[in-house]
Amino acid sequence: MRTPIIAGNWKMNKTVPESVALVRELKPLLVAKPQQADVIVCPPFTALYPVSRELDAGEIALGAQDLFWAPKGAYTGEISAAMLLDLGVSYVIVGHSERRAYQNENNALVAKKLAAAFEAGLRPILCVGEKLAQREAGLADRIVRAQLEENIKPLMADQIRKLIIAYEPVWAIGTGRSAEPRDAGVMARAIRTAIAAKFGTKVAAEVRVLYGGSVTGANSKDFLEVDGIDGALVGGASLKAEEFAAIVKSAS
Ligand code: PGA
C-alpha cells in the first residue's frame, strides 16, 4: 500500500510572518484526526527555517521548491541540498513547470538536480507535464514519457523506488481548469508503466504518483479515488489552511 501524499507548493507567496501564521492555523486542523496521508508544505526559501521551527511535532513535513545541483561553491544565489537539510527540509520539488518556463530549466538540468537531492538524502518530487498545444496535438503521452526518461537517467533502482512524481499538465496549473480525473489517471498509470518497463514492477509499485493542477477542496477526492493517483501537489489551494486541510482529509 502506498501512503498518499498531499503536498502544498506555496510558490512565491507568504512573508515570514504570513508563513508562520499559515502553518499555525494549519496544525490544529490536521491533528484533530490521525492523518492517513503524508502531509508536506513547501514554503519559499526565506520562510523554511521559521516554518521548520513550528513543525517539530512532526505531523507536517517540510519541503523546498527547488535546489541547486552542486554541493557547494561559486554559484551566486543558489541553494544546496545540504543547506536545505540544515533547515529541517526532507522533500524538494524538482523540475516544476514554472521553473522550466521562467528559469529555462531543461531535462538535463532537472536530472542533475534529482541526482543531487538523492545524493544528499532529500526526497525529490519530480514534476512532469505537457503544455496545452502538446495535448491538443495528441502528444501528451510522448512528451511526459520523454521528460520522465531524461529526468531519471542518472538514478538507480533504489532511488527510483523513493521517487515521488507529480503529473502536472501545464495548462491546468493555476488556471482553475483541472484535468479530467480519468485522464490524469491514464497518465499516472502510463508513468508507472514506463518506470516498470525500466526498473521492474516491484520498484514501480513503490513510486508515488501525484496529480497537480487546480486541485481544490471540492475536487481533490475525485482525483484521489482514481486508480494510480497517490496524492496531490497543490498550489493556490495550499495557501488557505481550511482548504488545504480539507484536501488532506479527502485523502483519508
Ligand atoms: P495550482 O498549482 O494548484 O495552483 O494549480 C499546482 C502546482 O503548481 O503545483
Side-chain angles (χ1 to χ4, degrees), residues 9 11 96 98 168 172-174 212-215 233-236:
N9 174 10
K11 309 194 179 182
H96 192 280
E98 285 151 14
E168 299 206 306
I173 295 176
S214 299
V215 173
L233 181 55
V234 185

Side-chain angles (χ1 to χ4, degrees), residues 17 38 61 133 154 174 218:
D38 291 339

Side-chain angles (χ1 to χ4, degrees), residues 157-158 160-162 192 195-196 199-207:
D158 266 355
I160 293 288
R161 68 173 85 239
K162 297 195 194 109
R192 198 178 309 285
I195 301 271
F199 297 95
T201 47
K202 260 182 91 178
V203 168
E206 289 182 47
V207 175

Side-chain angles (χ1 to χ4, degrees), residues 180-195:
E180 284 299 324
R182 192 168 13 102
D183 294 343
V186 168
M187 191 64 89
R189 294 191 295 277
I191 287 171
R192 198 178 309 285
T193 303
I195 301 271

Side-chain angles (χ1 to χ4, degrees), residues 15 17 76 103-105 109 113 115 124 142 155 157 160 171 173 199-200 224 247-248:
T15 61
T76 302
Q103 319 298 330
N104 293 319
E105 291 200 1
L109 180 66
K113 290 187 171 192
R142 203 189 303 170
L155 305 185
I160 293 288
W171 46 271
I173 295 176
F199 297 95
L224 294 165
I247 295 171
V248 172

Side-chain angles (χ1 to χ4, degrees), residues 44-238:
F45 285 130
T46 47
L48 284 170
Y49 186 60
V51 168
S52 165
R53 294 180 56 142
E54 296 290 323
L55 296 180
D56 351 282
E59 69 275 8
I60 305 173
L62 190 62
Q65 297 174 19
D66 183 41
L67 84 169
F68 194 62
W69 52 268
K72 62 167 146 178
Y75 303 100
T76 302
E78 297 294 349
I79 309 262
S80 72
M83 291 168 180
L84 296 176
L85 285 165
D86 247 4
L87 306 179
V89 169
S90 36
Y91 295 86
V92 61
I93 298 171
V94 178
H96 192 280
S97 63
E98 285 151 14
R99 293 204 62 85
R100 293 181 194 254
Y102 303 125
Q103 319 298 330
N104 293 319
E105 291 200 1
N106 60 25
N107 285 328
L109 180 66
V110 171
K112 281 168 92 167
K113 290 187 171 192
L114 271 186
F118 273 123
E119 184 106 345
L122 288 169
R123 304 243 351 214
I125 302 171
L126 167 65
C127 300
V128 292
E130 82 286 355
K131 297 181 186 142
L132 185 58
Q134 293 166 332
R135 173 154 288 263
E136 285 173 349
L139 295 173
D141 195 62
R142 203 189 303 170
I143 294 291
V144 169
R145 274 170 195 258
Q147 278 179 341
L148 184 66
E149 221 164 87
E150 293 273 309
N151 294 163
I152 66 174
K153 226 179 226 165
L155 305 185
M156 286 161 307
D158 266 355
Q159 298 172 321
I160 293 288
R161 68 173 85 239
K162 297 195 194 109
L163 185 61
I164 300 156
I165 300 170
Y167 166 57
E168 299 206 306
V170 177
W171 46 271
I173 295 176
T175 57
R177 179 187 166 191
S178 58
E180 284 299 324
R182 192 168 13 102
D183 294 343
V186 168
M187 191 64 89
R189 294 191 295 277
I191 287 171
R192 198 178 309 285
T193 303
I195 301 271
K198 259 193 125 173
F199 297 95
T201 47
K202 260 182 91 178
V203 168
E206 289 182 47
V207 175
R208 284 179 285 180
V209 182
L210 318 181
Y211 166 75
S214 299
V215 173
T216 64
N219 67 17
S220 56
K221 206 165 192 312
D222 300 338
F223 288 100
L224 294 165
E225 278 171 359
V226 173
D227 177 40
I229 297 181
D230 306 313
L233 181 55
V234 185
S238 72

